[in-house]
Amino acid sequence: MIKGKVENIKDKIDGNELDLSLSNLTEVPVKELAAFPKATVLDLSCNNLTTLTPEFCSLTHLIKIDLSKNQLVCLPEEIGQLGNLQHLDLYNNKLKMLPVGFSQLKSLKWLDLKDNPLEPTLAKAAGDCLDEKQCKQCASRVLQHMKVLQEEAEKQRERRLLKERELEKKKEAKQREKEAREREAQKKKKAEEKERKRKEYQAQMTALAAQEQQKKKKEEKKKRAAQKQGKKTASESVPKAKRSICSLFFSLLLKLLLLLIVGVASVIAVCQLTELRKEAFCVPLNAHFEETVRWAQGLEVVQQVIQKMSDLRT
């Protein structure tokens, strides 16, 4: 033995039996044992083993294992993988309970759990195991007990999973409610923002409409004032134009009349004061002139004018 390991395992094999008892082992040399699959009986009694590794359960070729008089405090959960195991000696260890996977040892026919600090229900199921018959009964009762524990563990696991699923569902429901509230709040916020923008837009449109209306009123007012001013100007310009035309007409008429009077006076003066008065065209003109003078002198107004002119001379 060197540091608790076997120097030459092959020397320990006798037929299908491998004897590693009293080898001061603190751990099982699993890799070395796996090299001898024909060694189906393994004696590990009277060593210093405290635990078995999960890899130990890969030695599925084993039919009989003696682990008595060690310091084992627990067995690996994977022990149920030893499907060919029929005989298991765990006498005089420190086991308090067995793993739930122990119920998977379908081929187990013999079991010894004496001198272990087993918990009460397991100790009751194991019994005394004082002879071959009792050890066989021990294997049967312990397997049945472990199956019950497995079923109970399975139920507990299912209840735990169910509870976890329920908690997960509640958590998901709360998350969904939270997300729904957040979506609703976001939706409400968007609606409020949209309503605010709509009101702002409506206020802008109202202000623009008011400005446009005010602008139209000012333009109409200006237009009416312009029309009124235009009418006034037109009404003033029409009489002025008429007066201007009439004045121009009368002025022209007066000029023509004066010209005619001057012309007539000139002709009369020529016919009265010059040698031409005896001419043929002046004779009737002079006659008409004298007749007109006599007619005018006969008028009372003319007489009054002549009288006033005489008075002024005196």
Side-chain angles (χ1 to χ4, degrees), residues 272-295:
Q272 286 288 326
L273 300 175
T274 65
E275 296 294 332
L276 296 176
R277 63 176 176 275
K278 295 179 179 181
E279 294 294 330
F281 70 89
C282 286
V283 172
L285 184 60
N286 289 331
H288 285 296
F289 176 70
E290 292 175 357
E291 185 177 348
T292 301
V293 170
R294 284 194 299 271
W295 170 77

PDB file of all heavy atoms in Angstrom, residues 272-295:
ATOM      1  N   GLN A 272     -69.771 154.229 -90.236  1.00  0.00           N
ATOM      2  CA  GLN A 272     -70.262 155.487 -89.719  1.00  0.00           C
ATOM      3  C   GLN A 272     -69.212 156.592 -89.838  1.00  0.00           C
ATOM      4  O   GLN A 272     -69.548 157.751 -90.073  1.00  0.00           O
ATOM      5  CB  GLN A 272     -70.654 155.304 -88.238  1.00  0.00           C
ATOM      6  CG  GLN A 272     -71.937 154.545 -88.031  1.00  0.00           C
ATOM      7  CD  GLN A 272     -73.176 155.334 -88.416  1.00  0.00           C
ATOM      8  OE1 GLN A 272     -73.252 156.589 -88.259  1.00  0.00           O
ATOM      9  NE2 GLN A 272     -74.152 154.662 -89.022  1.00  0.00           N
ATOM     10  N   LEU A 273     -67.997 156.228 -89.662  1.00  0.00           N
ATOM     11  CA  LEU A 273     -66.992 157.283 -89.508  1.00  0.00           C
ATOM     12  C   LEU A 273     -66.107 157.464 -90.736  1.00  0.00           C
ATOM     13  O   LEU A 273     -65.313 158.389 -90.800  1.00  0.00           O
ATOM     14  CB  LEU A 273     -66.111 156.965 -88.278  1.00  0.00           C
ATOM     15  CG  LEU A 273     -66.850 156.862 -86.934  1.00  0.00           C
ATOM     16  CD1 LEU A 273     -65.895 156.430 -85.864  1.00  0.00           C
ATOM     17  CD2 LEU A 273     -67.494 158.211 -86.597  1.00  0.00           C
ATOM     18  N   THR A 274     -66.187 156.572 -91.673  1.00  0.00           N
ATOM     19  CA  THR A 274     -65.288 156.667 -92.835  1.00  0.00           C
ATOM     20  C   THR A 274     -66.084 156.986 -94.084  1.00  0.00           C
ATOM     21  O   THR A 274     -67.310 157.075 -94.054  1.00  0.00           O
ATOM     22  CB  THR A 274     -64.517 155.338 -93.024  1.00  0.00           C
ATOM     23  OG1 THR A 274     -65.441 154.314 -93.342  1.00  0.00           O
ATOM     24  CG2 THR A 274     -63.711 154.956 -91.786  1.00  0.00           C
ATOM     25  N   GLU A 275     -65.340 157.136 -95.150  1.00  0.00           N
ATOM     26  CA  GLU A 275     -65.922 157.457 -96.430  1.00  0.00           C
ATOM     27  C   GLU A 275     -66.727 156.289 -96.981  1.00  0.00           C
ATOM     28  O   GLU A 275     -67.426 156.451 -97.988  1.00  0.00           O
ATOM     29  CB  GLU A 275     -64.796 157.822 -97.429  1.00  0.00           C
ATOM     30  CG  GLU A 275     -64.023 159.077 -97.056  1.00  0.00           C
ATOM     31  CD  GLU A 275     -64.900 160.319 -97.117  1.00  0.00           C
ATOM     32  OE1 GLU A 275     -65.871 160.327 -97.905  1.00  0.00           O
ATOM     33  OE2 GLU A 275     -64.608 161.278 -96.355  1.00  0.00           O
ATOM     34  N   LEU A 276     -66.643 155.218 -96.325  1.00  0.00           N
ATOM     35  CA  LEU A 276     -67.313 154.019 -96.835  1.00  0.00           C
ATOM     36  C   LEU A 276     -68.804 153.987 -96.463  1.00  0.00           C
ATOM     37  O   LEU A 276     -69.489 153.043 -96.841  1.00  0.00           O
ATOM     38  CB  LEU A 276     -66.630 152.723 -96.274  1.00  0.00           C
ATOM     39  CG  LEU A 276     -65.173 152.499 -96.699  1.00  0.00           C
ATOM     40  CD1 LEU A 276     -64.634 151.273 -96.017  1.00  0.00           C
ATOM     41  CD2 LEU A 276     -65.094 152.330 -98.225  1.00  0.00           C
ATOM     42  N   ARG A 277     -69.241 154.972 -95.708  1.00  0.00           N
ATOM     43  CA  ARG A 277     -70.625 154.937 -95.268  1.00  0.00           C
ATOM     44  C   ARG A 277     -71.610 155.046 -96.405  1.00  0.00           C
ATOM     45  O   ARG A 277     -72.775 154.718 -96.294  1.00  0.00           O
ATOM     46  CB  ARG A 277     -70.910 156.033 -94.237  1.00  0.00           C
ATOM     47  CG  ARG A 277     -70.735 157.455 -94.746  1.00  0.00           C
ATOM     48  CD  ARG A 277     -71.138 158.439 -93.637  1.00  0.00           C
ATOM     49  NE  ARG A 277     -70.889 159.815 -94.050  1.00  0.00           N
ATOM     50  CZ  ARG A 277     -69.763 160.443 -93.948  1.00  0.00           C
ATOM     51  NH1 ARG A 277     -68.733 159.819 -93.414  1.00  0.00           N
ATOM     52  NH2 ARG A 277     -69.618 161.720 -94.377  1.00  0.00           N
ATOM     53  N   LYS A 278     -71.136 155.603 -97.578  1.00  0.00           N
ATOM     54  CA  LYS A 278     -72.003 155.742 -98.744  1.00  0.00           C
ATOM     55  C   LYS A 278     -71.966 154.526 -99.636  1.00  0.00           C
ATOM     56  O   LYS A 278     -72.670 154.491-100.649  1.00  0.00           O
ATOM     57  CB  LYS A 278     -71.601 156.978 -99.551  1.00  0.00           C
ATOM     58  CG  LYS A 278     -71.810 158.299 -98.795  1.00  0.00           C
ATOM     59  CD  LYS A 278     -71.384 159.466 -99.636  1.00  0.00           C
ATOM     60  CE  LYS A 278     -71.607 160.793 -98.909  1.00  0.00           C
ATOM     61  NZ  LYS A 278     -71.207 161.959 -99.739  1.00  0.00           N
ATOM     62  N   GLU A 279     -71.119 153.563 -99.238  1.00  0.00           N
ATOM     63  CA  GLU A 279     -71.004 152.344-100.049  1.00  0.00           C
ATOM     64  C   GLU A 279     -72.282 151.516 -99.908  1.00  0.00           C
ATOM     65  O   GLU A 279     -73.017 151.641 -98.929  1.00  0.00           O
ATOM     66  CB  GLU A 279     -69.779 151.528 -99.642  1.00  0.00           C
ATOM     67  CG  GLU A 279     -68.464 152.234 -99.952  1.00  0.00           C
ATOM     68  CD  GLU A 279     -68.216 152.407-101.436  1.00  0.00           C
ATOM     69  OE1 GLU A 279     -68.703 151.534-102.225  1.00  0.00           O
ATOM     70  OE2 GLU A 279     -67.513 153.370-101.826  1.00  0.00           O
ATOM     71  N   ALA A 280     -72.456 150.658-100.869  1.00  0.00           N
ATOM     72  CA  ALA A 280     -73.715 149.895-100.925  1.00  0.00           C
ATOM     73  C   ALA A 280     -73.910 148.994 -99.718  1.00  0.00           C
ATOM     74  O   ALA A 280     -75.006 148.910 -99.180  1.00  0.00           O
ATOM     75  CB  ALA A 280     -73.740 149.058-102.212  1.00  0.00           C
ATOM     76  N   PHE A 281     -72.792 148.363 -99.252  1.00  0.00           N
ATOM     77  CA  PHE A 281     -72.981 147.415 -98.132  1.00  0.00           C
ATOM     78  C   PHE A 281     -73.117 148.148 -96.815  1.00  0.00           C
ATOM     79  O   PHE A 281     -73.586 147.602 -95.836  1.00  0.00           O
ATOM     80  CB  PHE A 281     -71.796 146.421 -98.056  1.00  0.00           C
ATOM     81  CG  PHE A 281     -70.495 147.060 -97.597  1.00  0.00           C
ATOM     82  CD1 PHE A 281     -70.171 147.139 -96.244  1.00  0.00           C
ATOM     83  CD2 PHE A 281     -69.635 147.637 -98.506  1.00  0.00           C
ATOM     84  CE1 PHE A 281     -68.997 147.723 -95.874  1.00  0.00           C
ATOM     85  CE2 PHE A 281     -68.457 148.215 -98.106  1.00  0.00           C
ATOM     86  CZ  PHE A 281     -68.110 148.258 -96.783  1.00  0.00           C
ATOM     87  N   CYS A 282     -72.677 149.421 -96.722  1.00  0.00           N
ATOM     88  CA  CYS A 282     -72.778 150.176 -95.473  1.00  0.00           C
ATOM     89  C   CYS A 282     -74.142 150.864 -95.334  1.00  0.00           C
ATOM     90  O   CYS A 282     -74.553 151.199 -94.227  1.00  0.00           O
ATOM     91  CB  CYS A 282     -71.684 151.251 -95.409  1.00  0.00           C
ATOM     92  SG  CYS A 282     -70.034 150.569 -95.076  1.00  0.00           S
ATOM     93  N   VAL A 283     -74.824 151.196 -96.452  1.00  0.00           N
ATOM     94  CA  VAL A 283     -76.087 151.933 -96.384  1.00  0.00           C
ATOM     95  C   VAL A 283     -77.118 151.173 -95.572  1.00  0.00           C
ATOM     96  O   VAL A 283     -77.701 151.726 -94.648  1.00  0.00           O
ATOM     97  CB  VAL A 283     -76.594 152.225 -97.811  1.00  0.00           C
ATOM     98  CG1 VAL A 283     -78.021 152.827 -97.775  1.00  0.00           C
ATOM     99  CG2 VAL A 283     -75.647 153.193 -98.524  1.00  0.00           C
ATOM    100  N   PRO A 284     -77.408 149.908 -95.873  1.00  0.00           N
ATOM    101  CA  PRO A 284     -78.385 149.193 -95.050  1.00  0.00           C
ATOM    102  C   PRO A 284     -77.903 149.001 -93.623  1.00  0.00           C
ATOM    103  O   PRO A 284     -78.671 149.039 -92.675  1.00  0.00           O
ATOM    104  CB  PRO A 284     -78.551 147.842 -95.759  1.00  0.00           C
ATOM    105  CG  PRO A 284     -77.358 147.687 -96.622  1.00  0.00           C
ATOM    106  CD  PRO A 284     -76.900 149.061 -96.974  1.00  0.00           C
ATOM    107  N   LEU A 285     -76.585 148.837 -93.477  1.00  0.00           N
ATOM    108  CA  LEU A 285     -76.040 148.643 -92.124  1.00  0.00           C
ATOM    109  C   LEU A 285     -76.213 149.905 -91.300  1.00  0.00           C
ATOM    110  O   LEU A 285     -76.612 149.856 -90.148  1.00  0.00           O
ATOM    111  CB  LEU A 285     -74.552 148.274 -92.237  1.00  0.00           C
ATOM    112  CG  LEU A 285     -73.848 147.952 -90.915  1.00  0.00           C
ATOM    113  CD1 LEU A 285     -74.517 146.772 -90.235  1.00  0.00           C
ATOM    114  CD2 LEU A 285     -72.371 147.656 -91.158  1.00  0.00           C
ATOM    115  N   ASN A 286     -75.973 151.058 -91.928  1.00  0.00           N
ATOM    116  CA  ASN A 286     -76.130 152.317 -91.208  1.00  0.00           C
ATOM    117  C   ASN A 286     -77.599 152.541 -90.868  1.00  0.00           C
ATOM    118  O   ASN A 286     -77.921 153.059 -89.805  1.00  0.00           O
ATOM    119  CB  ASN A 286     -75.595 153.465 -92.046  1.00  0.00           C
ATOM    120  CG  ASN A 286     -74.061 153.425 -92.131  1.00  0.00           C
ATOM    121  OD1 ASN A 286     -73.420 152.949 -91.213  1.00  0.00           O
ATOM    122  ND2 ASN A 286     -73.496 153.961 -93.222  1.00  0.00           N
ATOM    123  N   ALA A 287     -78.464 152.182 -91.796  1.00  0.00           N
ATOM    124  CA  ALA A 287     -79.895 152.361 -91.559  1.00  0.00           C
ATOM    125  C   ALA A 287     -80.335 151.522 -90.372  1.00  0.00           C
ATOM    126  O   ALA A 287     -81.039 151.992 -89.484  1.00  0.00           O
ATOM    127  CB  ALA A 287     -80.680 151.975 -92.833  1.00  0.00           C
ATOM    128  N   HIS A 288     -79.887 150.258 -90.353  1.00  0.00           N
ATOM    129  CA  HIS A 288     -80.216 149.378 -89.227  1.00  0.00           C
ATOM    130  C   HIS A 288     -79.625 149.893 -87.933  1.00  0.00           C
ATOM    131  O   HIS A 288     -80.266 149.819 -86.880  1.00  0.00           O
ATOM    132  CB  HIS A 288     -79.704 147.944 -89.483  1.00  0.00           C
ATOM    133  CG  HIS A 288     -80.528 147.183 -90.486  1.00  0.00           C
ATOM    134  ND1 HIS A 288     -81.852 146.861 -90.269  1.00  0.00           N
ATOM    135  CD2 HIS A 288     -80.245 146.688 -91.721  1.00  0.00           C
ATOM    136  CE1 HIS A 288     -82.337 146.209 -91.319  1.00  0.00           C
ATOM    137  NE2 HIS A 288     -81.355 146.090 -92.240  1.00  0.00           N
ATOM    138  N   PHE A 289     -78.440 150.420 -87.963  1.00  0.00           N
ATOM    139  CA  PHE A 289     -77.781 150.940 -86.771  1.00  0.00           C
ATOM    140  C   PHE A 289     -78.550 152.122 -86.198  1.00  0.00           C
ATOM    141  O   PHE A 289     -78.768 152.212 -84.994  1.00  0.00           O
ATOM    142  CB  PHE A 289     -76.331 151.340 -87.108  1.00  0.00           C
ATOM    143  CG  PHE A 289     -75.612 151.975 -85.967  1.00  0.00           C
ATOM    144  CD1 PHE A 289     -75.224 151.239 -84.839  1.00  0.00           C
ATOM    145  CD2 PHE A 289     -75.351 153.361 -85.976  1.00  0.00           C
ATOM    146  CE1 PHE A 289     -74.590 151.875 -83.813  1.00  0.00           C
ATOM    147  CE2 PHE A 289     -74.716 153.955 -84.919  1.00  0.00           C
ATOM    148  CZ  PHE A 289     -74.315 153.212 -83.831  1.00  0.00           C
ATOM    149  N   GLU A 290     -78.957 153.073 -87.086  1.00  0.00           N
ATOM    150  CA  GLU A 290     -79.707 154.242 -86.629  1.00  0.00           C
ATOM    151  C   GLU A 290     -81.051 153.853 -86.069  1.00  0.00           C
ATOM    152  O   GLU A 290     -81.507 154.404 -85.067  1.00  0.00           O
ATOM    153  CB  GLU A 290     -79.867 155.215 -87.813  1.00  0.00           C
ATOM    154  CG  GLU A 290     -78.551 155.851 -88.241  1.00  0.00           C
ATOM    155  CD  GLU A 290     -78.689 156.724 -89.497  1.00  0.00           C
ATOM    156  OE1 GLU A 290     -79.836 156.758 -90.035  1.00  0.00           O
ATOM    157  OE2 GLU A 290     -77.695 157.313 -89.885  1.00  0.00           O
ATOM    158  N   GLU A 291     -81.654 152.865 -86.728  1.00  0.00           N
ATOM    159  CA  GLU A 291     -82.971 152.408 -86.253  1.00  0.00           C
ATOM    160  C   GLU A 291     -82.812 151.768 -84.874  1.00  0.00           C
ATOM    161  O   GLU A 291     -83.645 151.963 -83.978  1.00  0.00           O
ATOM    162  CB  GLU A 291     -83.538 151.390 -87.262  1.00  0.00           C
ATOM    163  CG  GLU A 291     -84.948 150.956 -86.907  1.00  0.00           C
ATOM    164  CD  GLU A 291     -85.489 150.008 -87.961  1.00  0.00           C
ATOM    165  OE1 GLU A 291     -84.876 149.875 -89.041  1.00  0.00           O
ATOM    166  OE2 GLU A 291     -86.532 149.373 -87.686  1.00  0.00           O
ATOM    167  N   THR A 292     -81.706 151.012 -84.706  1.00  0.00           N
ATOM    168  CA  THR A 292     -81.461 150.342 -83.415  1.00  0.00           C
ATOM    169  C   THR A 292     -81.190 151.369 -82.343  1.00  0.00           C
ATOM    170  O   THR A 292     -81.644 151.235 -81.203  1.00  0.00           O
ATOM    171  CB  THR A 292     -80.255 149.367 -83.529  1.00  0.00           C
ATOM    172  OG1 THR A 292     -80.533 148.398 -84.542  1.00  0.00           O
ATOM    173  CG2 THR A 292     -79.960 148.682 -82.223  1.00  0.00           C
ATOM    174  N   VAL A 293     -80.489 152.430 -82.701  1.00  0.00           N
ATOM    175  CA  VAL A 293     -80.178 153.475 -81.736  1.00  0.00           C
ATOM    176  C   VAL A 293     -81.452 154.150 -81.297  1.00  0.00           C
ATOM    177  O   VAL A 293     -81.656 154.415 -80.111  1.00  0.00           O
ATOM    178  CB  VAL A 293     -79.182 154.478 -82.317  1.00  0.00           C
ATOM    179  CG1 VAL A 293     -79.034 155.705 -81.421  1.00  0.00           C
ATOM    180  CG2 VAL A 293     -77.810 153.803 -82.483  1.00  0.00           C
ATOM    181  N   ARG A 294     -82.324 154.444 -82.246  1.00  0.00           N
ATOM    182  CA  ARG A 294     -83.591 155.082 -81.904  1.00  0.00           C
ATOM    183  C   ARG A 294     -84.433 154.169 -81.003  1.00  0.00           C
ATOM    184  O   ARG A 294     -85.061 154.641 -80.059  1.00  0.00           O
ATOM    185  CB  ARG A 294     -84.360 155.420 -83.216  1.00  0.00           C
ATOM    186  CG  ARG A 294     -83.777 156.656 -83.961  1.00  0.00           C
ATOM    187  CD  ARG A 294     -84.746 157.130 -85.017  1.00  0.00           C
ATOM    188  NE  ARG A 294     -84.999 156.125 -86.018  1.00  0.00           N
ATOM    189  CZ  ARG A 294     -84.290 155.976 -87.116  1.00  0.00           C
ATOM    190  NH1 ARG A 294     -83.272 156.816 -87.382  1.00  0.00           N
ATOM    191  NH2 ARG A 294     -84.579 155.043 -87.966  1.00  0.00           N
ATOM    192  N   TRP A 295     -84.400 152.881 -81.335  1.00  0.00           N
ATOM    193  CA  TRP A 295     -85.182 151.935 -80.513  1.00  0.00           C
ATOM    194  C   TRP A 295     -84.623 151.864 -79.093  1.00  0.00           C
ATOM    195  O   TRP A 295     -85.365 151.870 -78.132  1.00  0.00           O
ATOM    196  CB  TRP A 295     -85.090 150.525 -81.180  1.00  0.00           C
ATOM    197  CG  TRP A 295     -85.661 149.428 -80.299  1.00  0.00           C
ATOM    198  CD1 TRP A 295     -86.949 149.136 -80.078  1.00  0.00           C
ATOM    199  CD2 TRP A 295     -84.921 148.531 -79.492  1.00  0.00           C
ATOM    200  NE1 TRP A 295     -87.110 148.106 -79.234  1.00  0.00           N
ATOM    201  CE2 TRP A 295     -85.817 147.699 -78.822  1.00  0.00           C
ATOM    202  CE3 TRP A 295     -83.555 148.315 -79.276  1.00  0.00           C
ATOM    203  CZ2 TRP A 295     -85.409 146.701 -77.971  1.00  0.00           C
ATOM    204  CZ3 TRP A 295     -83.196 147.310 -78.411  1.00  0.00           C
ATOM    205  CH2 TRP A 295     -84.089 146.512 -77.773  1.00  0.00           C
TER     206      TRP A 295
END
